[in-house]
Amino acid sequence: QVQLVESGGGSVQTGGSLNLSCTVSGDTTGSNCMGWFRQTSGKEREVVAGIYIPNGDTYSVEGRFSISRDIAKETLGLQIDSLKPQDTASYHCAIGPGVFCFDIDSYERWGQGTQVTVSS
């Protein structure tokens, strides 16, 4: 069973940067997508960035978000630059067998999340 554990969240000021990390353990055979999502209270979870495992193609909603994967360390990273107060959310990593990495339905395993708070 795949487990994902996020780290790296915290409180930062507007314009700052954060580097989130997700440690993946377990059998990931058959997984095609890994991604980062964020969620705030009362809102649906939204995709931030994704990576298509078979060829390494990456996707992000904005250039401020950069996703990376370290196969040797079995980690998934998310660099967020030029942080804004509206980036405040719980950030979750995910993995799944789907092929559309911007589609939440492609994912089946989720981490508990790491909180990012951006103050103005």
Side-chain angles (χ1 to χ4, degrees), residues 92-109:
H92 302 257
C93 62
I95 191 169
V99 297
F100 301 107
C101 298
F102 256 42
D103 185 346
I104 196 169
D105 291 335
S106 290
Y107 298 86
E108 61 181 15
R109 299 293 300 175

mmCIF file of all heavy atoms in Angstrom, residues 92-109:
data_model
loop_
_atom_site.group_PDB
_atom_site.id
_atom_site.type_symbol
_atom_site.label_atom_id
_atom_site.label_comp_id
_atom_site.label_asym_id
_atom_site.label_seq_id
_atom_site.Cartn_x
_atom_site.Cartn_y
_atom_site.Cartn_z
ATOM 1 N N HIS A 92 -1.435 18.926 -0.584
ATOM 2 C CA HIS A 92 -1.429 17.473 -0.533
ATOM 3 C C HIS A 92 -0.748 16.904 -1.769
ATOM 4 O O HIS A 92 -1.000 17.371 -2.882
ATOM 5 C CB HIS A 92 -2.861 16.935 -0.492
ATOM 6 C CG HIS A 92 -3.669 17.434 0.657
ATOM 7 N ND1 HIS A 92 -3.927 16.660 1.770
ATOM 8 C CD2 HIS A 92 -4.280 18.633 0.876
ATOM 9 C CE1 HIS A 92 -4.656 17.366 2.615
ATOM 10 N NE2 HIS A 92 -4.884 18.560 2.094
ATOM 11 N N CYS A 93 0.069 15.887 -1.583
ATOM 12 C CA CYS A 93 0.581 15.164 -2.728
ATOM 13 C C CYS A 93 -0.282 13.932 -2.966
ATOM 14 O O CYS A 93 -0.982 13.469 -2.064
ATOM 15 C CB CYS A 93 2.050 14.782 -2.554
ATOM 16 S SG CYS A 93 2.393 13.692 -1.179
ATOM 17 N N ALA A 94 -0.233 13.450 -4.192
ATOM 18 C CA ALA A 94 -1.093 12.338 -4.559
ATOM 19 C C ALA A 94 -0.440 11.514 -5.656
ATOM 20 O O ALA A 94 0.445 11.993 -6.379
ATOM 21 C CB ALA A 94 -2.449 12.856 -5.028
ATOM 22 N N ILE A 95 -0.912 10.266 -5.793
ATOM 23 C CA ILE A 95 -0.397 9.371 -6.819
ATOM 24 C C ILE A 95 -1.544 8.512 -7.318
ATOM 25 O O ILE A 95 -2.486 8.210 -6.553
ATOM 26 C CB ILE A 95 0.757 8.506 -6.261
ATOM 27 C CG1 ILE A 95 1.476 7.765 -7.380
ATOM 28 C CG2 ILE A 95 0.257 7.548 -5.191
ATOM 29 C CD1 ILE A 95 2.785 7.106 -6.916
ATOM 30 N N GLY A 96 -1.486 8.150 -8.600
ATOM 31 C CA GLY A 96 -2.576 7.344 -9.113
ATOM 32 C C GLY A 96 -2.310 6.774 -10.481
ATOM 33 O O GLY A 96 -1.327 7.146 -11.137
ATOM 34 N N PRO A 97 -3.183 5.887 -10.952
ATOM 35 C CA PRO A 97 -2.983 5.181 -12.216
ATOM 36 C C PRO A 97 -3.506 5.920 -13.440
ATOM 37 O O PRO A 97 -3.306 5.467 -14.571
ATOM 38 C CB PRO A 97 -3.780 3.889 -12.002
ATOM 39 C CG PRO A 97 -4.906 4.311 -11.111
ATOM 40 C CD PRO A 97 -4.329 5.379 -10.206
ATOM 41 N N GLY A 98 -4.200 7.021 -13.246
ATOM 42 C CA GLY A 98 -4.767 7.734 -14.376
ATOM 43 C C GLY A 98 -3.701 8.334 -15.263
ATOM 44 O O GLY A 98 -2.527 8.382 -14.921
ATOM 45 N N VAL A 99 -4.109 8.813 -16.430
ATOM 46 C CA VAL A 99 -3.170 9.380 -17.389
ATOM 47 C C VAL A 99 -3.342 10.874 -17.585
ATOM 48 O O VAL A 99 -2.530 11.514 -18.263
ATOM 49 C CB VAL A 99 -3.261 8.657 -18.748
ATOM 50 C CG1 VAL A 99 -2.860 7.210 -18.604
ATOM 51 C CG2 VAL A 99 -4.666 8.797 -19.332
ATOM 52 N N PHE A 100 -4.390 11.433 -17.006
ATOM 53 C CA PHE A 100 -4.600 12.869 -17.091
ATOM 54 C C PHE A 100 -4.227 13.478 -15.747
ATOM 55 O O PHE A 100 -5.030 13.498 -14.809
ATOM 56 C CB PHE A 100 -6.057 13.187 -17.457
ATOM 57 C CG PHE A 100 -6.471 12.575 -18.770
ATOM 58 C CD1 PHE A 100 -7.328 11.496 -18.801
ATOM 59 C CD2 PHE A 100 -5.986 13.077 -19.966
ATOM 60 C CE1 PHE A 100 -7.710 10.918 -19.998
ATOM 61 C CE2 PHE A 100 -6.356 12.508 -21.177
ATOM 62 C CZ PHE A 100 -7.219 11.424 -21.193
ATOM 63 N N CYS A 101 -3.016 13.994 -15.669
ATOM 64 C CA CYS A 101 -2.464 14.356 -14.368
ATOM 65 C C CYS A 101 -3.028 15.655 -13.812
ATOM 66 O O CYS A 101 -2.692 16.014 -12.683
ATOM 67 C CB CYS A 101 -0.947 14.409 -14.440
ATOM 68 S SG CYS A 101 -0.213 12.805 -14.861
ATOM 69 N N PHE A 102 -3.868 16.347 -14.572
ATOM 70 C CA PHE A 102 -4.554 17.509 -14.038
ATOM 71 C C PHE A 102 -5.990 17.176 -13.625
ATOM 72 O O PHE A 102 -6.746 18.057 -13.254
ATOM 73 C CB PHE A 102 -4.561 18.637 -15.069
ATOM 74 C CG PHE A 102 -3.576 19.722 -14.754
ATOM 75 C CD1 PHE A 102 -2.309 19.413 -14.298
ATOM 76 C CD2 PHE A 102 -3.913 21.055 -14.892
ATOM 77 C CE1 PHE A 102 -1.391 20.409 -14.002
ATOM 78 C CE2 PHE A 102 -3.012 22.057 -14.588
ATOM 79 C CZ PHE A 102 -1.757 21.743 -14.154
ATOM 80 N N ASP A 103 -6.303 15.902 -13.707
ATOM 81 C CA ASP A 103 -7.644 15.442 -13.353
ATOM 82 C C ASP A 103 -7.588 14.732 -12.019
ATOM 83 O O ASP A 103 -6.863 13.747 -11.871
ATOM 84 C CB ASP A 103 -8.158 14.500 -14.444
ATOM 85 C CG ASP A 103 -9.597 14.068 -14.222
ATOM 86 O OD1 ASP A 103 -10.130 14.270 -13.109
ATOM 87 O OD2 ASP A 103 -10.180 13.524 -15.172
ATOM 88 N N ILE A 104 -8.354 15.216 -11.060
ATOM 89 C CA ILE A 104 -8.312 14.632 -9.725
ATOM 90 C C ILE A 104 -8.695 13.158 -9.751
ATOM 91 O O ILE A 104 -8.277 12.378 -8.895
ATOM 92 C CB ILE A 104 -9.220 15.452 -8.778
ATOM 93 C CG1 ILE A 104 -8.909 15.116 -7.316
ATOM 94 C CG2 ILE A 104 -10.691 15.226 -9.105
ATOM 95 C CD1 ILE A 104 -9.568 16.051 -6.330
ATOM 96 N N ASP A 105 -9.479 12.769 -10.727
ATOM 97 C CA ASP A 105 -9.905 11.371 -10.825
ATOM 98 C C ASP A 105 -8.771 10.433 -11.230
ATOM 99 O O ASP A 105 -8.941 9.210 -11.204
ATOM 100 C CB ASP A 105 -11.062 11.250 -11.818
ATOM 101 C CG ASP A 105 -12.335 11.897 -11.296
ATOM 102 O OD1 ASP A 105 -12.488 12.002 -10.067
ATOM 103 O OD2 ASP A 105 -13.155 12.318 -12.127
ATOM 104 N N SER A 106 -7.617 10.974 -11.623
ATOM 105 C CA SER A 106 -6.463 10.146 -11.959
ATOM 106 C C SER A 106 -5.735 9.641 -10.721
ATOM 107 O O SER A 106 -4.842 8.816 -10.835
ATOM 108 C CB SER A 106 -5.486 10.939 -12.841
ATOM 109 O OG SER A 106 -6.016 11.151 -14.133
ATOM 110 N N TYR A 107 -6.114 10.152 -9.569
ATOM 111 C CA TYR A 107 -5.372 9.876 -8.337
ATOM 112 C C TYR A 107 -6.203 9.020 -7.373
ATOM 113 O O TYR A 107 -7.427 9.161 -7.300
ATOM 114 C CB TYR A 107 -4.983 11.187 -7.659
ATOM 115 C CG TYR A 107 -4.067 12.036 -8.507
ATOM 116 C CD1 TYR A 107 -4.584 12.914 -9.458
ATOM 117 C CD2 TYR A 107 -2.688 11.937 -8.383
ATOM 118 C CE1 TYR A 107 -3.749 13.667 -10.258
ATOM 119 C CE2 TYR A 107 -1.846 12.702 -9.177
ATOM 120 C CZ TYR A 107 -2.383 13.564 -10.111
ATOM 121 O OH TYR A 107 -1.555 14.309 -10.901
ATOM 122 N N GLU A 108 -5.493 8.159 -6.632
ATOM 123 C CA GLU A 108 -6.214 7.305 -5.694
ATOM 124 C C GLU A 108 -5.600 7.263 -4.299
ATOM 125 O O GLU A 108 -6.227 6.765 -3.363
ATOM 126 C CB GLU A 108 -6.360 5.885 -6.249
ATOM 127 C CG GLU A 108 -5.048 5.171 -6.501
ATOM 128 C CD GLU A 108 -5.247 3.771 -7.077
ATOM 129 O OE1 GLU A 108 -6.355 3.445 -7.542
ATOM 130 O OE2 GLU A 108 -4.273 2.989 -7.049
ATOM 131 N N ARG A 109 -4.377 7.719 -4.155
ATOM 132 C CA ARG A 109 -3.741 7.739 -2.830
ATOM 133 C C ARG A 109 -3.310 9.171 -2.530
ATOM 134 O O ARG A 109 -2.727 9.847 -3.401
ATOM 135 C CB ARG A 109 -2.537 6.806 -2.766
ATOM 136 C CG ARG A 109 -2.868 5.350 -3.024
ATOM 137 C CD ARG A 109 -3.727 4.760 -1.924
ATOM 138 N NE ARG A 109 -3.074 4.822 -0.622
ATOM 139 C CZ ARG A 109 -3.657 4.448 0.515
ATOM 140 N NH1 ARG A 109 -4.906 4.029 0.504
ATOM 141 N NH2 ARG A 109 -2.991 4.531 1.652
#
